[in-house]
Amino acid sequence: ESPTIVETHDYGTLPVISENYYLISPFIDPSVTVGRTYYDYQGNEEEQQNSLTVQNDTYYQNTGIDYVKEEVFDVVAIADGTVSLVKDDDVVGKIVEIEHKNGLISIYQSLGEVSVKKGDMVTQGQMIGKSGINEMEKELGNHLHFEIYENGQSSNPTNYLNKEYKKEN
Protein backbone atom coordinates (compact mmCIF):
# COMPACT_ATOMS: atom_id res chain seq x y z
CA GLU A 1 0.00 0.00 0.00
CA SER A 2 1.30 3.44 -0.86
CA PRO A 3 1.19 6.17 1.80
CA THR A 4 -1.39 8.99 1.50
CA ILE A 5 0.26 12.34 0.90
CA VAL A 6 -1.34 15.25 2.70
CA GLU A 7 -0.27 18.73 1.68
CA THR A 8 -0.02 21.26 4.47
CA HIS A 9 0.54 24.96 4.12
CA ASP A 10 1.57 27.32 6.85
CA TYR A 11 0.01 30.71 6.17
CA GLY A 12 0.97 32.11 9.54
CA THR A 13 -1.61 34.06 11.45
CA LEU A 14 -4.13 36.05 9.50
CA PRO A 15 -5.08 39.47 10.84
CA VAL A 16 -8.60 39.70 12.21
CA ILE A 17 -10.55 42.48 10.59
CA SER A 18 -12.13 44.45 13.40
CA GLU A 19 -15.77 45.41 13.00
CA ASN A 20 -15.23 48.16 15.58
CA TYR A 21 -14.28 51.74 14.91
CA TYR A 22 -14.21 55.00 16.84
CA LEU A 23 -16.70 57.74 15.94
CA ILE A 24 -15.81 61.41 16.45
CA SER A 25 -18.06 64.45 16.86
CA PRO A 26 -19.27 66.09 13.63
CA PHE A 27 -17.31 69.27 14.52
CA ILE A 28 -13.85 70.14 15.85
CA ASP A 29 -14.54 73.54 17.47
CA PRO A 30 -14.73 73.00 21.28
CA SER A 31 -17.01 76.04 21.75
CA VAL A 32 -19.91 74.40 19.84
CA THR A 33 -22.72 73.44 22.25
CA VAL A 34 -25.91 71.36 22.14
CA GLY A 35 -28.94 73.48 21.29
CA ARG A 36 -31.50 70.71 21.17
CA THR A 37 -31.22 67.07 22.18
CA TYR A 38 -32.48 63.86 20.58
CA TYR A 39 -36.06 62.90 21.47
CA ASP A 40 -35.70 59.80 23.61
CA TYR A 41 -38.90 57.82 24.19
CA GLN A 42 -37.40 56.51 27.43
CA GLY A 43 -36.28 59.98 28.55
CA ASN A 44 -37.89 62.02 31.29
CA GLU A 45 -40.53 64.66 30.53
CA GLU A 46 -38.13 67.61 30.79
CA GLU A 47 -35.65 66.02 28.36
CA GLN A 48 -38.51 65.29 25.97
CA GLN A 49 -39.77 68.91 26.18
CA ASN A 50 -36.27 70.14 25.28
CA SER A 51 -36.16 67.90 22.21
CA LEU A 52 -39.29 69.13 20.44
CA THR A 53 -39.23 71.36 17.35
CA VAL A 54 -42.17 73.54 16.32
CA GLN A 55 -42.87 74.14 12.62
CA ASN A 56 -46.13 75.74 11.41
CA ASP A 57 -47.83 75.11 14.78
CA THR A 58 -46.88 71.42 14.69
CA TYR A 59 -44.54 69.78 17.21
CA TYR A 60 -41.91 67.38 15.91
CA GLN A 61 -39.76 65.00 17.94
CA ASN A 62 -36.09 65.73 17.26
CA THR A 63 -34.54 62.82 15.40
CA GLY A 64 -31.01 64.11 15.95
CA ILE A 65 -28.93 66.57 17.93
CA ASP A 66 -28.66 70.25 17.08
CA TYR A 67 -25.21 71.74 17.65
CA VAL A 68 -25.12 75.52 17.90
CA LYS A 69 -22.64 78.38 17.83
CA GLU A 70 -23.14 82.02 16.92
CA GLU A 71 -20.38 81.89 14.28
CA VAL A 72 -20.27 79.46 11.37
CA PHE A 73 -18.23 76.33 12.19
CA ASP A 74 -16.69 73.50 10.15
CA VAL A 75 -18.64 70.25 9.94
CA VAL A 76 -16.60 67.03 9.63
CA ALA A 77 -17.29 63.37 8.84
CA ILE A 78 -17.64 61.26 12.01
CA ALA A 79 -15.96 58.28 10.28
CA ASP A 80 -14.71 57.10 6.89
CA GLY A 81 -17.49 56.53 4.39
CA THR A 82 -19.09 57.31 1.05
CA VAL A 83 -21.27 60.36 0.42
CA SER A 84 -24.63 58.87 -0.60
CA LEU A 85 -26.66 62.10 -0.83
CA VAL A 86 -26.13 65.83 -1.22
CA LYS A 87 -29.36 67.82 -1.36
CA ASP A 88 -30.65 71.35 -0.90
CA ASP A 89 -33.94 71.33 1.02
CA ASP A 90 -36.19 74.39 1.49
CA VAL A 91 -37.09 73.39 5.06
CA VAL A 92 -33.98 71.78 6.59
CA GLY A 93 -31.26 73.42 4.47
CA LYS A 94 -28.38 71.71 2.71
CA ILE A 95 -28.02 68.00 3.54
CA VAL A 96 -25.11 65.57 3.34
CA GLU A 97 -25.62 61.87 4.03
CA ILE A 98 -22.66 59.51 4.49
CA GLU A 99 -22.81 55.71 4.48
CA HIS A 100 -20.32 54.05 6.82
CA LYS A 101 -19.58 50.36 7.25
CA ASN A 102 -21.86 48.09 9.28
CA GLY A 103 -25.14 49.72 8.27
CA LEU A 104 -24.41 53.09 9.91
CA ILE A 105 -25.47 56.32 8.18
CA SER A 106 -24.69 59.85 9.38
CA ILE A 107 -26.81 62.79 8.21
CA TYR A 108 -25.75 66.43 8.41
CA GLN A 109 -28.51 69.05 7.89
CA SER A 110 -28.81 72.82 8.07
CA LEU A 111 -25.50 73.25 6.28
CA GLY A 112 -24.70 76.68 4.87
CA GLU A 113 -21.98 75.28 2.60
CA VAL A 114 -21.22 71.79 1.29
CA SER A 115 -17.71 70.80 0.17
CA VAL A 116 -18.40 67.21 -0.98
CA LYS A 117 -20.48 65.61 -3.72
CA LYS A 118 -22.41 62.35 -4.06
CA GLY A 119 -20.04 59.41 -4.55
CA ASP A 120 -17.08 61.05 -2.77
CA MET A 121 -15.10 58.86 -0.38
CA VAL A 122 -14.52 60.80 2.84
CA THR A 123 -12.16 60.17 5.71
CA GLN A 124 -12.87 60.64 9.39
CA GLY A 125 -12.42 64.29 10.36
CA GLN A 126 -12.57 65.54 6.76
CA MET A 127 -14.50 68.80 6.38
CA ILE A 128 -17.73 68.15 4.50
CA GLY A 129 -19.29 71.59 4.92
CA LYS A 130 -20.10 74.47 7.24
CA SER A 131 -22.95 75.08 9.66
CA GLY A 132 -25.85 77.27 8.61
CA ILE A 133 -29.45 78.17 9.24
CA ASN A 134 -32.69 76.54 8.11
CA GLU A 135 -36.41 77.19 8.07
CA MET A 136 -37.37 74.31 10.39
CA GLU A 137 -35.16 75.36 13.31
CA LYS A 138 -34.55 79.03 12.61
CA GLU A 139 -34.88 79.88 16.32
CA LEU A 140 -31.58 78.02 16.84
CA GLY A 141 -29.78 80.37 14.43
CA ASN A 142 -26.52 79.04 13.02
CA HIS A 143 -26.31 75.31 13.77
CA LEU A 144 -25.81 71.75 12.55
CA HIS A 145 -28.64 69.25 12.76
CA PHE A 146 -26.98 65.82 13.04
CA GLU A 147 -28.60 62.37 12.85
CA ILE A 148 -27.41 58.76 12.98
CA TYR A 149 -29.28 55.80 11.53
CA GLU A 150 -28.33 52.21 12.22
CA ASN A 151 -29.86 49.63 9.89
CA GLY A 152 -32.51 52.17 8.88
CA GLN A 153 -33.50 53.08 12.45
CA SER A 154 -33.06 56.57 13.91
CA SER A 155 -30.66 56.35 16.86
CA ASN A 156 -29.53 58.75 19.56
CA PRO A 157 -26.16 60.15 18.36
CA THR A 158 -25.03 60.46 22.00
CA ASN A 159 -24.84 56.66 22.13
CA TYR A 160 -22.29 56.64 19.28
CA LEU A 161 -20.19 59.80 19.23
CA ASN A 162 -16.76 59.80 20.88
CA LYS A 163 -17.15 56.09 21.51
CA GLU A 164 -16.08 52.91 19.80
CA TYR A 165 -18.83 51.67 17.51
CA LYS A 166 -19.34 47.95 17.84
CA LYS A 167 -21.78 46.30 15.49
CA GLU A 168 -24.40 44.30 17.36
CA ASN A 169 -25.24 41.09 15.53
Side-chain angles (χ1 to χ4, degrees), residues 88-153:
D88 204 344
D89 185 279
D90 292 341
V91 179
V92 296
K94 290 179 175 45
I95 304 167
V96 171
E97 182 178 284
I98 300 174
E99 290 183 9
H100 309 282
K101 60 184 179 181
N102 301 336
L104 209 63
I105 294 174
S106 58
I107 300 174
Y108 311 75
Q109 294 179 355
S110 190
L111 298 173
E113 284 179 37
V114 172
S115 51
V116 293
K117 62 188 184 314
K118 185 176 178 178
D120 283 356
M121 300 287 288
V122 295
T123 56
Q124 184 177 60
Q126 178 181 334
M127 189 173 97
I128 58 166
K130 293 186 179 287
S131 60
I133 54 173
N134 71 32
E135 195 55 40
M136 177 101 168
E137 301 161 316
K138 60 183 166 215
E139 77 282 359
L140 291 175
N142 176 65
H143 73 287
L144 163 67
H145 176 81
F146 176 75
E147 299 180 2
I148 285 186
Y149 283 79
E150 183 173 19
N151 300 320
Q153 296 292 314

Side-chain angles (χ1 to χ4, degrees), residues 24 28 76-80 123-127:
I24 64 169
I28 308 285
V76 301
I78 63 166
D80 295 357
T123 56
Q124 184 177 60
Q126 178 181 334
M127 189 173 97

